[in-house]
């Protein structure tokens, strides 16, 4: 594209030069015919004058009013000496006709130029109106998409709120009997420590109790509306602390985390650091879980007007298109051991911060998660 840019003005200049030469040659040829054949009859010269309309009209159409006026003026200057020379041989009617023809050449040049310019202005206005119309259509389309997104977020928030209240009450009711069951199993394991079968069963039961306890903790974390304790902090610091927390999981799965450093990370955001660290941790752990064994996860800064954040891209299998609309719903999960609350918690935290999350499958495979937070004012 860069190589074509200089040639376009050159082509335009060459076209202008060609047109000027062509108009000049036609005028010169017609004038030379007049002067070299002046002894012919007057009617011959009057008919030949009509040919002058061609270069005048073309000049007016090509260069506008200036082209029409200048070309007709030059033709008038070239033809007047011949008219004076032929005055003695002309009848009054012929003299009058010749002057009328000269006047018409000038009028035609002027009118054609003005009409051509008006047509060009009309075309420019039409193109401008068409461009504005396209921009309005695009704007309406974007506003429609934004409205659909906001409506989806409102529905999501309503579902999360209702389910959160239910989860909080249910988690509290379950936690007490679960604690009693756990203590009872521990006591049974101590009493039957010599019985290998009973000890094994107790071990499995304790692991399941622990798993249920973690699940309840996630329910409570999801259900509680924790007040934000905002403070200004660099995005770089939040990301570095989040990466440090997932290093063991990265090593365990032989995954390499590539962090693309940029000026974006030096921006400051006013957030609750603990909650945003939870967001970073959840997104990175999801990427590790989706990646499986080996491969590379890319962490990079992103920015748009009024927002700054980060993007995490993995090389996993991606998300099924049918599942994408439900990924933020509480308890919706495609993992065998997942609770379906991770992204719901992330969505809720970002919603309280005025942030945004977007998740999409990558064309080269895997998923890209983009988190945006409002910039500090």
């Amino acid at each position: 594209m860069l190589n074509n840019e200089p040639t376009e003005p050159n082509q335009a200049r060459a076209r202008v030069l060609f047109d000027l030469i062509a108009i000049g040659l036609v005028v010169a040829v017609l004038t030379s015919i007049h002067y070299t054949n002046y002894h012919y009859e007057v009617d011959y010269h009057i008919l030949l004058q009509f040919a002058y309309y061609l270069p005048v009209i073309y000049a007016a159409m090509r260069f506008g009013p200036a082209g029409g006026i200048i070309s007709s003026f030059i033709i008038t200057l070239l033809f007047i000496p011949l008219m004076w020379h032929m005055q003695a041989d002309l009848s009054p009617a012929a003299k009058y006709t010749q002057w009328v023809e000269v006047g018409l050449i000038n009028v035609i040049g002027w009118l054609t130029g003005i009409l051509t310019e008006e047509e060009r202005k009309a075309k420019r206005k039409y193109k401008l109106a068409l461009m504005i119309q396209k921009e309005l259509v695009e704007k309406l389309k974007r506003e429609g998409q934004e409205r659909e997104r906001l409506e989806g977020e409102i529905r999501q928030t309503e579902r999360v709120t209702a389910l959160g209240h239910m989860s909080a009450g249910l988690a509290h009711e379950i936690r007490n009997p679960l604690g009693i069951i756990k203590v009872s199993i521990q006591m049974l394991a101590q009493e039957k420590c010599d019985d290998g079968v009973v000890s094994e069963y107790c071990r499995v039961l304790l692991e399941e109790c622990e798993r249920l306890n973690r699940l309840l903790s996630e329910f409570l974390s999801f259900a509680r509306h924790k007040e934000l304790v905002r403070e200004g902090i660099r995005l770089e610091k939040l990301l570095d602390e989040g990466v440090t927390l997932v290093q063991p999981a990265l090593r365990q799965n032989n995954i390499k985390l590539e962090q693309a450093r940029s000026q974006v990370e030096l921006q400051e955001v006013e957030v609750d650091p603990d909650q945003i660290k939870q967001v970073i941790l959840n997104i990175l752990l999801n990427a590790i879980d989706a990646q499986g064994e080996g491969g590379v996860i890319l962490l990079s800064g992103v920015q748009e007007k009024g927002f700054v954040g980060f993007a995490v891209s993995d090389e996993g299998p991606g998300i099924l298109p049918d599942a994408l609309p439900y990924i933020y719903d509480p308890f919706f999960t495609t993992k065998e051991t997942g609770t379906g609350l991770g992204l719901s918690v992330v969505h809720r935290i970002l919603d309280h911060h005025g942030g945004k999350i977007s998740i999409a499958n990558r064309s080269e495979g895997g998923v890209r998660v983009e988190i945006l937070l409002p910039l500090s004012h």
Side-chain angles (χ1 to χ4, degrees), residues 4 15 30 59-60 73 81 107 120 143 150 211 226 258-259 270 308 319 330 346 360 366 371:
N4 293 335
R15 175 66 189 278
L30 290 174
F73 181 70
V107 171
R120 289 175 181 169
E143 288 178 352
L150 291 174
R211 190 168 72 86
K226 185 180 176 183
E258 290 186 355
Q259 193 167 358
E270 193 171 341
V308 69
I319 303 172
V346 167
I371 303 293

Side-chain angles (χ1 to χ4, degrees), residues 160-170 222-223:
V160 167
T161 302
L163 206 49
H165 290 310
M166 183 191 73
S167 300
L170 188 61
F222 166 73

Side-chain angles (χ1 to χ4, degrees), residues 52-247:
Y52 277 124
Y53 287 117
L54 295 176
V56 170
I57 291 173
Y58 185 76
M61 294 179 65
R62 184 68 179 85
F63 301 107
I69 293 170
I70 293 172
S71 61
S72 60
F73 181 70
I74 291 173
I75 289 171
T76 301
L77 291 178
L78 292 173
F79 193 71
I80 282 177
L82 181 63
M83 288 176 59
W84 283 112
H85 180 74
M86 298 171 60
Q87 287 295 309
D89 302 326
L90 297 178
S91 65
K95 293 179 184 178
Y96 176 77
T97 301
Q98 281 202 320
W99 281 109
V100 169
E101 286 296 331
V102 170
L104 282 174
I105 288 173
N106 285 270
V107 171
I108 291 295
W110 180 68
L111 285 177
T112 306
I114 289 178
L115 291 174
T116 302
E117 186 63 25
E118 290 298 320
E119 182 186 7
R120 289 175 181 169
K121 287 180 181 178
K123 284 183 178 179
R124 286 195 292 267
K125 287 180 181 178
Y126 172 75
K127 288 181 180 179
L128 180 62
L130 190 62
M131 184 177 67
I132 293 173
Q133 185 182 26
K134 287 181 179 178
E135 289 178 355
L136 287 174
V137 170
E138 288 297 322
K139 185 178 179 181
L140 288 172
K141 189 185 294 184
R142 289 194 299 270
E143 288 178 352
Q145 292 172 347
E146 181 67 13
R147 185 174 64 252
E148 289 178 3
R149 185 187 69 81
L150 291 174
E151 288 174 353
E153 288 190 358
I154 291 171
R155 288 194 296 269
Q156 173 69 22
T157 303
E158 290 173 349
R159 288 197 297 268
V160 167
T161 302
L163 206 49
H165 290 310
M166 183 191 73
S167 300
L170 188 61
H172 280 296
E173 291 298 324
I174 294 175
R175 177 161 275 182
N176 289 334
L178 183 63
I180 295 172
I181 293 171
K182 182 178 178 180
V183 171
S184 300
I185 294 171
Q186 288 172 338
M187 292 176 64
L188 179 62
Q190 289 175 0
E191 290 180 4
K192 301 291 183 177
C193 59
D194 296 332
D195 191 328
V197 175
V198 173
S199 296
E200 178 62 21
Y201 284 153
C202 288
R203 185 189 65 80
V204 172
L205 289 171
L206 284 172
E207 285 180 359
E208 292 303 309
C209 284
E210 196 60 40
R211 190 168 72 86
L212 282 173
N213 192 50
R214 287 197 303 271
L215 181 60
L216 289 173
S217 297
E218 286 190 28
F219 283 173
L220 289 172
S221 174
F222 166 73
R224 290 193 191 105
H225 175 62
K226 185 180 176 183
E227 292 297 326
L228 300 181
V229 182
R230 293 180 183 267
E231 64 176 78
I233 185 170
R234 278 188 176 182
L235 179 64
E236 179 183 37
K237 184 178 180 182
L238 290 170
L239 292 175
D240 287 344
E241 291 180 4
V243 169
T244 301
L245 291 173
V246 298
Q247 285 299 332

Side-chain angles (χ1 to χ4, degrees), residues 23-82:
I23 293 168
L25 283 174
V26 172
V27 172
V29 168
L30 290 174
T31 304
S32 64
I33 292 173
H34 273 297
Y35 276 92
T36 55
N37 298 280
Y38 68 90
H39 54 279
Y40 282 12
E41 293 183 3
V42 174
D43 291 342
Y44 169 81
H45 291 281
I46 292 174
L47 288 173
L48 198 60
Q49 276 182 266
F50 288 124
Y52 277 124
Y53 287 117
L54 295 176
V56 170
I57 291 173
Y58 185 76
M61 294 179 65
R62 184 68 179 85
F63 301 107
I69 293 170
I70 293 172
S71 61
S72 60
F73 181 70
I74 291 173
I75 289 171
T76 301
L77 291 178
L78 292 173
F79 193 71
I80 282 177
L82 181 63

